[in-house]
Amino acid sequence: MTGNRAIKHWTLLLLSCCVLLPSLLRAEESRGRESILIISSYNPDTRRMSSFITEFERQVVASGVPCDIYIETLECKSINDAPLWISQTDNLITRYESKGLRAVVLLGQEAWASFVSLGRIPKDVMCFSCFVSSNGIVLPPPAGTDSTGSWMPRSINYMNMVDSLHSVGGLLNKYDVRRNIELIRTLYPEVENLAFISDNTYGGISLQALVREEMENYPDLNLVLVDSR
């Protein structure tokens, strides 16, 4: 698993640099110095985030692109704060648009979901997602939603959104829930109940939504939702 994570990390970095740097070099010829905004879902000093940001900055400098790189964090925790994530993302993009914003890199599912929920794409700004799953849920949650687990949103496919948006891309991980269910049934043919344990994070709730959707294809199985919140 460690090797797979390392491969994904460098694949993300390589893809982001291949997409962003050539366009930034072309833009520099006509516009001059611009800026890249990195928005992290949570503390950018965590190992996975910091290693990506450090190497990304190194690649930008080595390429000769005269861009200032700004790093901001949403400090995402409970899903109850989702409306705040969206407003923060909107405010950050608006603030840096006045600094010649050329690209936005969104690290983590919460930052990506907040960006998609804005309903607007900054003009002439490339947007790239990293550490994001292809499945998600619509933000923000309904008013009055709390941590009791009563909110049951439908799963959405971000791949469809990315394909329809101009200047937006990234590498999205896909959870193959169906193959997991089939594996369980192969190992335990008599199984009748499947339990899914989730928490009150965006990742937990969005994955639960995907599992509930897939379980509709298995009417002979009962899904038991275990809330660790």
Side-chain angles (χ1 to χ4, degrees):
M1 293 298 292
T2 301
N4 289 336
R5 284 196 296 268
I7 292 172
K8 287 182 179 179
H9 170 84
W10 289 108
T11 301
L12 282 167
L13 180 60
L14 179 61
L15 181 58
S16 63
C17 291
C18 288
V19 170
L20 294 177
L21 297 184
S23 297
L24 290 171
L25 281 168
R26 290 193 299 270
E28 193 277 332
E29 295 177 358
S30 59
R31 298 188 179 191
R33 195 171 189 86
E34 297 180 304
S35 62
I36 299 173
L37 173 61
I38 298 177
I39 302 178
S40 172
S41 296
Y42 43 86
N43 188 352
D45 291 331
T46 56
R47 182 175 181 181
R48 183 171 68 162
M49 295 292 186
S50 64
S51 61
F52 180 91
I53 292 171
T54 298
E55 186 59 25
F56 181 82
E57 290 178 324
R58 192 185 72 80
Q59 292 288 340
V60 170
V61 172
S63 70
V65 174
C67 280
D68 295 315
I69 300 176
Y70 299 92
I71 303 169
E72 300 282 356
T73 177
L74 300 180
E75 293 290 353
C76 298
K77 295 178 182 177
S78 170
I79 193 70
N80 300 337
D81 298 328
L84 181 59
W85 306 343
I86 298 172
S87 63
Q88 284 179 312
T89 301
D90 194 23
N91 291 338
L92 288 172
I93 292 175
T94 300
R95 182 197 310 170
Y96 286 99
E97 280 179 316
S98 63
K99 297 183 179 182
L101 183 61
R102 183 58 180 167
V104 178
V105 180
L106 302 137
L107 303 183
Q109 298 199 110
E110 294 87 349
W112 170 246
S114 300
F115 170 77
V116 172
S117 299
L118 291 179
R120 74 178 183 93
I121 305 298
K123 185 178 180 180
D124 298 326
V125 175
M126 293 171 291
C127 303
F128 190 87
S129 64
C130 297
F131 309 122
V132 174
S133 298
S134 60
N135 66 290
I137 54 176
V138 175
L139 293 178
T145 296
D146 54 30
S147 59
T148 61
S150 58
W151 183 39
M152 296 289 181
R154 297 291 297 180
S155 180
I156 59 175
N157 188 343
Y158 281 134
M159 289 295 295
N160 297 334
M161 292 186 176
V162 170
D163 291 341
S164 64
L165 296 175
H166 179 64
S167 298
V168 176
L171 184 61
L172 307 181
N173 298 319
K174 181 178 180 181
Y175 290 104
D176 196 336
V177 177
R178 187 167 301 186
R179 289 191 65 181
N180 278 273
I181 295 175
E182 294 298 337
L183 175 61
I184 292 173
R185 300 188 78 170
T186 298
L187 297 175
Y188 305 98
E190 304 301 321
V191 68
E192 296 180 354
N193 301 303
L194 294 180
F196 180 81
I197 304 174
S198 64
D199 55 23
N200 197 37
T201 63
Y202 175 89
I205 294 175
S206 61
L207 187 53
Q208 182 200 93
L210 179 62
V211 171
R212 285 190 285 105
E213 181 181 83
E214 289 290 348
M215 284 297 292
E216 294 176 1
N217 298 308
Y218 299 91
D220 57 323
L221 292 177
N222 298 315
L223 177 62
V224 180
L225 300 177
V226 182
D227 188 0
S228 64
R229 298 171 238 180

